Amino acid sequence: MQAALSRPKLISLAAGFTDNASLPVAESRRLLNELLRATKTGRPALQYGTTAGEEPLRRLTAEHLHKLDSSSFSSSSFVLENEPRTRTRTKDEDEGNYSPERIIITGGSQQFLYMTTEALCDEGDIVLVEDPTYFVFLSILQSRNLRAHGVQLERDGVDLAHLEMVLARLKKAGELRRVKALYLVTYFQNPTGATTTLAKKRALLKLLKQYERAAGHPIYLIEDAAYRELAFGGRADLPFSPAERQLRPAAKNIAPPTALVLPGAKERVIYAGTYSKPYATGVRVGFGILPEPVYTAVLRIKGNHDFGTANLLQHLLARALASGLYDRHLAVARKNYARKAAVMKRAMAEHFPANIEIWEAAGGLYFWVRLPKKVSAGVNSKIFQTALKNDVLYVPGELCYAEDPWRRKPANEMRISFGHASAENIRAGIKRLGKVLRKLI
Amino acid sequence: MQAALSRPKLISLAAGFTDNASLPVAESRRLLNELLRATKTGRPALQYGTTAGEEPLRRLTAEHLHKLDSSSFSSSSFVLENEPRTRTRTKDEDEGNYSPERIIITGGSQQFLYMTTEALCDEGDIVLVEDPTYFVFLSILQSRNLRAHGVQLERDGVDLAHLEMVLARLKKAGELRRVKALYLVTYFQNPTGATTTLAKKRALLKLLKQYERAAGHPIYLIEDAAYRELAFGGRADLPFSPAERQLRPAAKNIAPPTALVLPGAKERVIYAGTYSKPYATGVRVGFGILPEPVYTAVLRIKGNHDFGTANLLQHLLARALASGLYDRHLAVARKNYARKAAVMKRAMAEHFPANIEIWEAAGGLYFWVRLPKKVSAGVNSKIFQTALKNDVLYVPGELCYAEDPWRRKPANEMRISFGHASAENIRAGIKRLGKVLRKLI
């Protein structure tokens, strides 16, 4: 595989890299020029900052998130989720769920996830995860000798009945005291593209709360919203198979509010966000919102890890946000991803066999492809190896499942990314992959 | 104390911040402009990179370190350390101790130290440290439930006899198997300004090796060279007291080579370096050189922490190094620090009482001030509190000592920094502090 990766003809539909062509090169140049034109703004950008992150960026982040959550409520899609079209602000919102004092700036949201896990969990503890989930998060858990239990994922978030079953089973086994959190990638999930509805967030937060007494401590909801801002807009978040060409009409906005708007969020919701994917992955800046006492613990950990993310990056992003350039760039990037996703979709319809289920993404970077149950697309499968031989690479779905003693890992799935590859390479890659699938299924 | 810190009149001689006036604002602007002028160079800088770091920066770092170590040998100071003036290259050097494949780029050298500790140590393990040492390193150890044992520090590095005694004592106590590393800040140490000679590095490496059989595993030397490039040049690294106005003639270059030049270094020396302090602390880029199998372990940990330091910062630094701008900026910064150190020295001679021992730095950011043995300068001491009331802050030396069951922490010392404060504030701050000391000693 290592040898294949260095082959010049290889088309990788595996990497979670972002689109090269829409990287804000000229925009960043302009912002950095402004920033470093005068010593008054330039020096603070080149000096150490604070461990929590620069105040202006934390404030802008708070405002940005609050705006995103507010606008979600006025969108038509929200009705699709069985929520009232209008509503009054919750007490929690008014009490400052988005306060800069609850925000920490990190080296990508990955570092935030690592530090939060470090703060919450002792060796042997359990984190509940979506089944399947973000595989680097599984790697964090494994590296810290933590256990993961999977909760079945549906197109609109985890299966609540299954979550309850998992919690009940852990309680019965006397393991509930080891359960510290439920980790969800709530928007255009990596790897499936699924988005969790607010109704589900509300229900699962309530469910976790019910088990806290037996657990003897808080069970936090970690909401990883890394792909949140990469919504295409105007696209349906519905499964399709190449056989069905008639899709249901698209919803206008498929990004519901975060769990931060829910009652009790201030005490239980840990929110992980990032500017890397929406703006530029080379500017690795993520952030998180944390309830006390986890905030203080994570801040202490950040102090030991690196005592603060590079100020130059923070000042660049603060300037991008404040100037409106961030939003303008994002609009371009989203259009670009929507276009590439459409290219991939058409190519799949043309080249993939009919007996395949595809979870179409309405944002983010990935399509989730499910082959017939008995077919393996795993690392050692004939399909993966043949695809590699034919110079096309995908992420085997099995890598996205936790080592969970309660079920066998499915091996019939693939994560296919339209993030990094050009439209041309997407077409060529899917054609190659389709040929392999037609031959081997 | 928190309240005092926000007082506008407070002069902080505590922070390890670097000099504001010599931050490379215009230089960074020029480099970033060049970098982002064309998409060909701009896009890679704004895209994800690899976990280990960008190849050009790792290569330039390898070359840079090799050059530093080579030039140290031809300097006159080297003779002062009882080493031959000329010598042949060791086998290890020729075998590529500085190879880019052994280098990892990190978010400051702090992150490197954290990850290395994570890779080397299990809960309850022991790391030997200088007594006193860099207090954030102590915080890393504490956060990971590791134990620290202090080895007495002299002006030219740890006391070898004491190191041997500590090792022998640990062996006798059956604790040698818990000893994983010796951590040294080898240049212009934080907090004392002491620089470890190559002769000492050679001797202690040999000593550690002797105890490895009883330990049952390698005992690594972690050489933290964060301040290495901040040598003033032409200054003596000798103690002085304000009473002695006649100083010994200065050595030309007080930066000996690293332990990487020594036989066996490739297997046992872990080198931590940084570009943050020499270039700009807002561009948080550090690096490390690691022997296998620690390199592989740290790389895996970096993959979980953040899978790579921001590419934009790495490309900026690679350009600074390649263009020679890094060296030119450093020459200016060093001159600036030398000037501010001289200002501080003169002010101390003028305002401090005579019965105080001062370790004068020949580089770095700190002077180490030792009051008479029975006088406390600790956090709760009258001196610290009165200084704070008089709007001047220093780092109490006691914070730089490990919780070591084998000795009491000295409390009569202070770390005083000339890094961040302006010359004017240095004069005013030392005057205030001198007044307090004259009154309370």
Side-chain angles (χ1 to χ4, degrees):
Chain A
M1 185 162 161
Q2 206 56 44
L5 276 171
S6 61
R7 285 206 299 257
K9 281 190 195 160
L10 182 82
I11 293 175
S12 174
L13 305 174
F17 278 34
T18 46
D19 186 55
N20 244 340
S22 49
L23 286 167
V25 178
E27 293 89 333
S28 300
R29 187 171 175 227
R30 209 177 80 206
L31 293 170
L32 288 163
N33 252 311
E34 284 171 23
L35 186 63
L36 300 171
R37 185 168 292 149
T39 52
K40 197 188 157 186
T41 54
R43 283 180 185 167
L46 295 181
Q47 182 60 275
Y48 279 135
T50 61
T51 304
E54 293 291 274
E55 197 280 332
L57 183 58
R58 285 187 290 133
R59 186 174 36 74
L60 286 160
T61 300
E63 289 166 12
H64 185 65
L65 291 177
H66 193 225
K67 205 175 91 184
L68 280 178
D69 271 349
S70 305
S71 66
S72 299
F73 277 107
S74 55
S75 80
S76 60
S77 72
F78 198 53
V79 182
L80 294 180
E81 298 176 40
N82 305 318
E83 293 284 336
R85 189 180 287 260
T86 58
R87 58 168 198 113
T88 51
R89 289 163 59 82
T90 66
K91 197 159 159 282
D92 277 332
E93 274 179 280
D94 286 332
E95 278 176 2
N97 278 3
Y98 309 87
S99 150
E101 282 75 39
R102 305 181 69 225
I103 291 178
I104 183 169
I105 307 291
T106 53
S109 56
Q110 178 71 27
Q111 193 192 37
F112 177 79
L113 292 175
Y114 189 94
M115 297 191 312
T116 298
T117 309
E118 191 173 340
L120 289 180
C121 302
D122 297 314
E123 210 168 300
D125 279 351
I126 295 168
V127 177
L128 307 180
V129 298
E130 288 158 323
D131 219 21
T133 187
Y134 171 41
F135 56 79
V136 186
F137 187 74
L138 292 178
S139 175
I140 293 178
L141 297 183
Q142 199 182 10
S143 78
R144 301 195 62 80
N145 293 318
L146 304 171
R147 291 176 287 164
H149 282 291
V151 182
Q152 276 159 29
L153 186 62
E154 301 171 327
R155 293 308 315 271
D156 62 349
V158 286
D159 180 336
L160 292 169
H162 190 237
L163 174 60
E164 180 142 32
M165 202 185 90
V166 168
L167 286 165
R169 192 153 49 178
L170 286 165
K171 187 179 174 185
K172 208 176 152 192
E175 292 267 55
L176 208 55
R177 65 187 180 83
R178 304 312 301 261
V179 177
K180 296 295 174 68
L182 166 64
Y183 169 75
L184 304 178
V185 184
T186 47
Y187 298 89
F188 321 120
Q189 196 234 21
N190 179 0
T192 65
T195 293
T196 304
T197 61
L198 185 64
K200 280 213 167 169
K201 289 178 192 171
R202 173 177 284 129
L204 62 88
L205 210 52
K206 212 171 138 191
L207 196 54
L208 293 179
K209 192 85 187 169
Q210 285 168 14
Y211 279 84
E212 284 194 358
R213 186 183 298 214
H217 56 239
I219 303 177
Y220 292 97
L221 168 63
I222 305 173
E223 173 161 26
D224 178 350
Y227 300 93
R228 177 182 196 183
E229 297 191 62
L230 300 184
F232 303 150
R235 302 279 310 276
D237 183 21
L238 300 164
F240 81 102
S241 82
E244 318 169 26
R245 299 289 156 93
Q246 293 292 323
L247 292 174
R248 280 205 271 159
K252 270 216 174 123
N253 182 332
I254 37 54
T258 64
L260 289 168
V261 304
L262 297 170
K266 201 175 176 184
E267 284 76 37
R268 289 298 179 266
V269 174
I270 295 173
Y271 181 89
T274 187
Y275 291 121
S276 304
K277 284 179 204 295
Y279 187 75
T281 46
V283 182
R284 301 265 293 140
V285 177
F287 54 86
I289 297 188
L290 292 150
E292 280 299 351
V294 195
Y295 184 83
T296 302
V298 167
L299 201 62
R300 201 177 51 236
I301 290 168
K302 175 83 174 163
N304 287 328
H305 276 223
D306 62 13
F307 53 79
T309 296
N311 256 3
L312 181 63
L313 306 176
Q314 295 190 53
H315 285 239
L316 169 60
L317 276 168
R319 215 160 253 263
L321 285 163
S323 64
L325 197 146
Y326 177 87
D327 285 334
R328 289 198 298 280
H329 165 69
L330 190 55
V332 174
R334 286 162 63 160
K335 212 172 277 180
N336 211 3
Y337 287 123
R339 192 178 57 81
K340 293 209 293 180
V343 167
M344 183 171 269
K345 182 179 160 182
R346 272 198 302 276
M348 284 177 168
E350 189 178 342
H351 299 294
F352 277 15
N355 55 345
I356 286 177
E357 183 190 350
I358 295 166
W359 287 22
E360 185 186 1
L365 305 175
Y366 314 108
F367 278 18
W368 185 241
V369 176
R370 309 179 77 181
L371 309 182
K373 280 242 160 67
K374 297 206 170 152
V375 177
S376 172
V379 180
N380 297 314
S381 70
K382 187 127 191 187
I383 287 177
F384 185 76
Q385 294 300 331
T386 311
L388 210 53
K389 213 176 294 171
N390 286 278
D391 282 321
V392 58
L393 189 68
Y394 61 86
V395 170
E398 63 180 11
L399 300 179
C400 308
Y401 287 91
E403 295 290 344
D404 186 329
W406 291 340
R407 58 106 184 84
R408 267 179 76 174
K409 284 187 189 183
N412 63 318
E413 295 157 328
M414 312 191 281
R415 187 193 83 173
I416 301 186
S417 171
F418 47 81
H420 192 59
S422 64
E424 193 190 344
N425 277 348
I426 288 172
R427 273 188 290 265
I430 292 295
K431 191 174 170 184
R432 288 178 197 173
L433 193 54
K435 218 169 143 184
V436 174
L437 294 177
R438 281 183 191 275
K439 196 177 148 194
L440 293 178
I441 293 180
Chain B
M1 183 160 159
Q2 205 58 44
L5 275 172
S6 60
R7 286 207 297 259
K9 280 192 199 161
L10 183 83
I11 293 177
S12 175
L13 305 175
F17 278 35
T18 46
D19 184 57
N20 244 341
S22 50
L23 285 168
V25 177
E27 293 89 333
S28 300
R29 185 169 176 227
R30 209 177 81 204
L31 293 171
L32 288 163
N33 252 312
E34 285 171 23
L35 186 62
L36 300 171
R37 185 170 291 147
T39 53
K40 197 186 157 188
T41 52
R43 284 179 185 166
L46 295 180
Q47 182 60 273
Y48 279 134
T50 61
T51 304
E54 293 290 276
E55 196 281 332
L57 183 57
R58 284 188 290 133
R59 186 173 36 76
L60 287 161
T61 300
E63 290 165 11
H64 184 64
L65 291 177
H66 193 228
K67 205 174 92 186
L68 281 177
D69 272 348
S70 305
S71 66
S72 299
F73 276 108
S74 54
S75 81
S76 60
S77 71
F78 197 55
V79 181
L80 294 180
E81 297 175 39
N82 305 317
E83 292 284 337
R85 187 182 287 262
T86 58
R87 59 171 198 109
T88 51
R89 290 163 59 82
T90 67
K91 199 159 159 278
D92 276 332
E93 275 179 279
D94 287 332
E95 277 175 2
N97 277 5
Y98 309 87
S99 149
E101 284 73 40
R102 305 181 68 225
I103 292 177
I104 183 167
I105 307 292
T106 53
S109 56
Q110 179 70 28
Q111 192 191 38
F112 178 79
L113 293 175
Y114 188 94
M115 298 191 311
T116 298
T117 309
E118 190 173 341
L120 288 181
C121 302
D122 297 315
E123 210 168 298
D125 278 350
I126 295 167
V127 178
L128 307 180
V129 298
E130 287 156 325
D131 218 22
T133 187
Y134 171 42
F135 57 77
V136 187
F137 187 74
L138 292 177
S139 175
I140 292 178
L141 297 183
Q142 199 181 11
S143 78
R144 302 196 62 81
N145 293 318
L146 303 172
R147 291 176 287 163
H149 282 291
V151 182
Q152 276 158 30
L153 186 62
E154 301 171 327
R155 295 304 317 270
D156 62 349
V158 286
D159 179 336
L160 291 169
H162 190 238
L163 174 61
E164 179 141 33
M165 202 187 90
V166 169
L167 285 165
R169 192 153 52 179
L170 286 165
K171 187 180 173 184
K172 206 175 155 193
E175 293 268 54
L176 208 55
R177 66 190 177 83
R178 305 312 302 262
V179 177
K180 295 297 175 65
L182 167 63
Y183 168 76
L184 304 178
V185 183
T186 48
Y187 298 88
F188 320 119
Q189 197 234 20
N190 179 358
T192 65
T195 293
T196 305
T197 60
L198 185 63
K200 280 214 170 170
K201 290 178 192 171
R202 173 177 286 130
L204 62 87
L205 208 53
K206 212 173 137 189
L207 195 55
L208 294 179
K209 191 83 186 173
Q210 284 166 15
Y211 279 84
E212 283 194 357
R213 187 184 296 212
H217 56 241
I219 303 176
Y220 293 97
L221 167 62
I222 305 174
E223 172 162 27
D224 179 349
Y227 300 92
R228 177 183 196 183
E229 297 191 62
L230 300 184
F232 303 150
R235 300 277 310 276
D237 183 23
L238 300 164
F240 81 103
S241 81
E244 322 168 21
R245 296 290 154 96
Q246 293 292 325
L247 291 173
R248 279 205 272 158
K252 269 217 173 120
N253 181 331
I254 40 52
T258 64
L260 288 168
V261 304
L262 297 170
K266 200 175 178 184
E267 285 75 38
R268 291 297 180 268
V269 175
I270 295 174
Y271 180 89
T274 189
Y275 291 121
S276 303
K277 283 179 205 293
Y279 186 76
T281 47
V283 181
R284 299 265 293 138
V285 176
F287 54 85
I289 297 187
L290 292 151
E292 280 299 352
V294 195
Y295 184 84
T296 302
V298 168
L299 201 62
R300 202 178 49 236
I301 290 167
K302 175 82 175 162
N304 287 328
H305 276 221
D306 62 14
F307 54 81
T309 296
N311 256 3
L312 181 62
L313 305 177
Q314 294 190 53
H315 285 240
L316 168 59
L317 276 169
R319 215 162 254 263
L321 285 163
S323 65
L325 197 146
Y326 176 87
D327 284 334
R328 288 198 298 279
H329 164 70
L330 189 56
V332 174
R334 285 163 63 160
K335 213 172 277 180
N336 212 4
Y337 287 123
R339 193 178 56 83
K340 294 209 295 180
V343 167
M344 182 170 270
K345 182 180 161 182
R346 271 197 304 275
M348 285 178 167
E350 188 177 345
H351 299 293
F352 277 16
N355 55 345
I356 286 178
E357 183 190 351
I358 296 167
W359 287 21
E360 185 187 0
L365 306 176
Y366 314 109
F367 278 17
W368 185 241
V369 175
R370 310 179 75 181
L371 308 182
K373 279 244 160 68
K374 293 202 170 155
V375 178
S376 173
V379 179
N380 297 314
S381 69
K382 187 126 192 187
I383 288 178
F384 185 76
Q385 295 299 330
T386 311
L388 210 53
K389 215 177 291 171
N390 285 277
D391 282 321
V392 58
L393 189 68
Y394 61 85
V395 170
E398 65 180 10
L399 300 178
C400 308
Y401 286 91
E403 295 291 346
D404 187 328
W406 291 340
R407 58 107 184 82
R408 268 178 77 175
K409 283 186 189 185
N412 62 317
E413 296 157 326
M414 314 192 281
R415 187 194 82 174
I416 302 187
S417 173
F418 46 81
H420 191 58
S422 65
E424 193 190 344
N425 277 347
I426 288 172
R427 272 188 291 265
I430 292 295
K431 191 174 172 184
R432 288 178 197 174
L433 193 54
K435 218 170 142 185
V436 174
L437 293 177
R438 281 180 191 276
K439 196 178 148 194
L440 294 177
I441 293 181

